[in-house]
Amino acid sequence: MRDTRSVHIPRWVTQAMLVLLVLGLIVLTSACGGNAQVRQQANQDKTQLDQLTQHALAIGVPATLLSPILKQEQHLSSAGAPFSPFNDQPLNDYYSNQANQYAKLVGQTQQLITTTTDQYQLQAQNDMQVFQQALSRRSSQHIGNIQPFSNSYNNYQLMLSSAKYPKDFAVVSRYAQTEINALGLMGSTYSKLTTFQKTINQMKQARIDVTAMQAQYQNDMQEFNSATKSSEFNKLGTLIDAQYQQAVVTSIEALPYVSA
């Protein structure tokens, strides 16, 4: 018959096993975390990088320029810590490398902010210089309504002097380029008006009735002198093209009668 009597384990053995178990857990948990200071430094550097990249986006650094840095950060964040229950060194090396890489990306982001700001500032300054040159050309020609453009130039100069971030300089560039385009269209539209006027004078010399066309020209000049936007010059230019084509047709149709 099988002996079912329980085996008696001395109390001191049980206590010793419990002590060893507790000591083992203490060693295991203390080894799993690595150096707390190194781990904290890595976390701080990551937080600084996150804050700096958000700041860069907020002040107008294009996301496309930040993309390589953000991808590197994502790669770092996705790399898990090694499992080393009895040796802190691999964990310490991991967090130390994390801290160094995050700090490196912080430096790259700061440099990117500085470089982008300088580039946008230079672009805004160049655009304002081109704006000034275009304004001077139109002023010397004594055509169109120049005063609103002069007022805009003065306002944009004030904006440029107080600009601080890439987004500020980008606004100045955008406004200046809009005015440059309008001044360019002012010149081309005036050339169309001049051609239309010459055609009217030639038709008049040929004794062709130009009463209607003369009225069109006068209306066009009024529109031209009040125009200040690219859309207004484009619209007027299209109208003058149509009027000029009609003048040519009228001249051709009148040739037999003029010759007679």
Side-chain angles (χ1 to χ4, degrees), residues 5-238:
R5 289 178 299 175
S6 60
V7 178
H8 176 71
I9 300 177
R11 184 177 180 182
W12 67 270
V13 174
T14 303
Q15 292 176 338
M17 292 176 62
L18 181 60
V19 170
L20 290 174
L21 178 61
V22 171
L23 290 175
L25 289 173
I26 293 174
V27 171
L28 182 62
T29 54
S30 62
C32 286
N35 187 294
Q37 185 176 359
V38 176
R39 186 170 66 252
Q40 183 180 12
Q41 184 62 53
N43 291 333
Q44 289 177 348
D45 289 340
K46 183 182 186 307
T47 299
Q48 182 183 6
L49 177 60
D50 290 337
Q51 293 174 346
L52 190 60
T53 53
Q54 289 300 317
H55 171 69
L57 289 171
I59 65 175
V61 176
T64 52
L65 297 181
L66 278 170
S67 179
I69 293 176
L70 295 175
K71 287 181 179 178
Q72 291 182 64
E73 181 189 11
Q74 184 179 12
H75 177 72
L76 280 174
S77 301
S78 62
F83 179 70
S84 181
F86 302 109
N87 186 0
D88 280 352
Q89 194 58 47
L91 282 171
N92 291 338
D93 291 343
Y94 166 79
Y95 286 115
S96 178
N97 178 69
Q98 291 281 96
N100 291 335
Q101 292 300 317
Y102 283 130
K104 181 180 178 181
L105 291 177
V106 166
Q108 291 178 3
T109 305
Q110 291 172 334
Q111 181 61 40
L112 179 61
I113 291 174
T114 300
T115 302
T116 303
T117 302
D118 291 343
Q119 290 176 346
Y120 276 53
Q121 181 181 20
L122 180 60
Q123 182 63 53
Q125 291 171 342
N126 289 339
D127 288 334
M128 286 299 294
Q129 184 177 5
V130 174
F131 182 14
Q132 183 184 37
Q133 293 170 350
L135 184 58
S136 297
R137 283 195 299 271
R138 296 295 170 253
S139 297
S140 64
Q141 291 175 318
H142 302 288
I143 63 172
N145 186 9
I146 297 298
Q147 190 58 48
F149 292 97
S150 297
N151 295 339
S152 294
Y153 177 80
N154 293 332
N155 290 335
Y156 301 160
Q157 277 288 72
L158 291 175
M159 292 174 60
L160 179 60
S161 64
S162 62
K164 182 178 180 181
Y165 299 122
K167 64 179 182 180
D168 302 328
F169 294 113
V171 169
V172 175
S173 285
R174 184 168 65 252
Y175 287 170
Q177 290 168 9
T178 298
E179 303 295 341
I180 293 168
N181 185 54
L183 287 168
L185 288 170
M186 175 188 285
S188 60
T189 304
Y190 185 75
S191 296
K192 292 180 179 182
L193 274 170
T194 302
T195 300
F196 187 33
Q197 184 186 37
K198 289 180 179 179
T199 302
I200 293 173
N201 291 336
Q202 291 171 354
M203 293 173 66
K204 187 176 181 180
Q205 291 174 1
R207 298 181 181 180
I208 300 174
D209 184 12
V210 294
T211 304
M213 283 175 280
Q214 191 67 41
Q216 290 175 341
Y217 174 78
Q218 294 298 330
N219 290 333
D220 292 343
M221 281 300 300
Q222 291 179 2
E223 292 291 332
F224 176 78
N225 288 327
S226 64
T228 58
K229 298 179 181 179
S230 296
S231 58
E232 295 171 341
F233 288 117
N234 276 324
K235 182 179 179 180
L236 180 58
T238 301

